[in-house]
Amino acid sequence: MLPTPYDLVRYGVAPDHAETKNVQKEFDQVMDMPGCSFMGGVTVGQDVSVAELRRLYHGVVMAYGASGDASLGIPGEGLEGSMSARCMVNWYNGHPHYASMKIDLTSGSRAVVIGNGNVAVDVARVLTKPLDELSKTDMADYALEELGRSKIDEVDVVGRRGPAQAAWTTAELREIVGMSCSVGFREEEMLLDSVDEGYVASNRARKRAMALLNQTLDASRAAKGQGGAQKRLNLRFLLSPVEIFGER
């Protein structure tokens, strides 16, 4: 719906992932090819129908991302302070449809991110990363100002499944465990049953991720009680949200 190309790169990639955004150079090469053109600001089904496109072209490929949020379907989901990761990511990346969103990071000290994929990790990282590091990125100025006022010093990343099934990549996981904040776990949530152990053993990517989690768990045990870190990131597993409580 926007007049510009590459919206997923512009507004979906974390602002501190500048190298990932370089993929635009590859896209530019495609856009410069003879016979390739871009038409933005078009909504299929509103501005033009699929039937019209099929009459105009020999082939029509429908390639698009989610235009809405996946609802949890639990009471309290619409309360103030509860929002989708898609909204949060678009907000701090400066998407024009989300720039006017009011996100209050000053009314509490603890936040929860539901999900344990790469987007959940991105949001948690933005909430806990030092402002001086975020200010070196292309994050929207208004988001930097709000993060500068933030009183959030603890973030829980909560997943329904166990650590063996966490959807994040090892690279994303390595980023958060390497930050200056402390990383916490619940020992009982890190235990694997025989099925999980077999899955990890047969999957090289999962094996690397679990090895990194266990190394971080060991470091967390060693650092327990030492203090020092201003913010804390807790990786939680085997938990399903059933209700969000609040006043409005």
Side-chain angles (χ1 to χ4, degrees):
M1 295 191 298
L2 296 179
T4 53
Y6 322 148
D7 290 340
L8 181 59
V9 178
R10 292 172 185 267
Y11 306 117
V13 176
D16 55 349
H17 283 179
E19 291 185 3
T20 304
K21 293 190 176 188
N22 285 336
V23 73
Q24 290 187 74
K25 297 177 181 177
E26 303 294 328
F27 295 163
D28 285 338
Q29 293 180 19
V30 176
M31 296 293 287
D32 288 339
M33 294 175 63
C36 182
S37 59
F38 171 79
M39 288 175 278
V42 177
T43 300
V44 176
Q46 179 178 313
D47 301 308
V48 63
S49 69
V50 175
E52 288 175 302
L53 290 173
R54 293 183 67 182
R55 285 198 302 268
L56 294 169
Y57 297 93
H58 292 110
V60 178
V61 178
M62 309 295 287
Y64 50 87
S67 59
D69 300 320
S71 173
L72 291 172
I74 60 175
E77 191 173 356
L79 288 170
E80 185 176 321
S82 171
M83 71 195 72
S84 69
R86 188 177 70 95
C87 289
M88 182 73 176
V89 170
N90 280 317
W91 173 77
Y92 62 59
N93 273 326
H95 191 295
H97 293 174
Y98 295 83
S100 60
M101 273 186 63
K102 300 299 180 185
I103 294 185
D104 180 14
L105 302 179
T106 63
S107 59
S109 61
R110 192 174 185 182
V112 59
V113 180
I114 300 172
N116 51 18
N118 284 346
V119 176
V121 170
D122 284 344
V123 172
R125 192 176 64 251
V126 165
L127 290 174
T128 52
K129 201 166 191 176
L131 187 65
D132 60 340
E133 294 184 34
L134 292 175
S135 63
K136 298 173 185 176
T137 72
D138 63 353
M139 179 178 284
D141 289 341
Y142 61 78
L144 286 171
E145 291 175 6
E146 186 61 35
L147 286 164
R149 293 189 289 268
S150 175
K151 295 182 179 179
I152 294 175
D153 56 20
E154 187 168 9
V155 176
D156 289 349
V157 179
V158 176
R160 290 183 297 108
R161 298 178 295 177
Q165 292 81 27
W168 51 50
T169 62
T170 304
E172 289 273 359
L173 179 61
R174 187 176 291 112
E175 273 196 88
I176 60 171
V177 301
M179 293 195 307
S180 56
C181 65
S182 62
V183 180
F185 302 88
R186 294 284 181 92
E187 300 266 354
E188 63 274 17
E189 295 172 0
M190 290 293 292
L191 298 175
L192 304 184
D193 59 22
S194 58
V195 175
D196 288 339
E197 289 175 349
Y199 171 63
V200 170
S202 64
N203 188 306
R204 187 165 60 179
R206 290 299 93 200
K207 187 183 296 184
R208 289 198 299 266
M210 276 305 305
L212 181 57
L213 277 175
N214 285 322
Q215 290 170 14
T216 309
L217 176 60
D218 291 340
S220 178
R221 290 193 191 106
K224 195 170 184 179
Q226 293 182 9
Q230 293 183 339
K231 294 188 177 184
R232 183 173 179 83
L233 178 63
N234 301 308
L235 300 180
R236 303 293 310 277
F237 303 99
L238 305 173
L239 299 173
S240 294
V242 294
E243 185 172 358
I244 298 173
F245 295 96
E247 296 179 355
R248 62 184 188 277

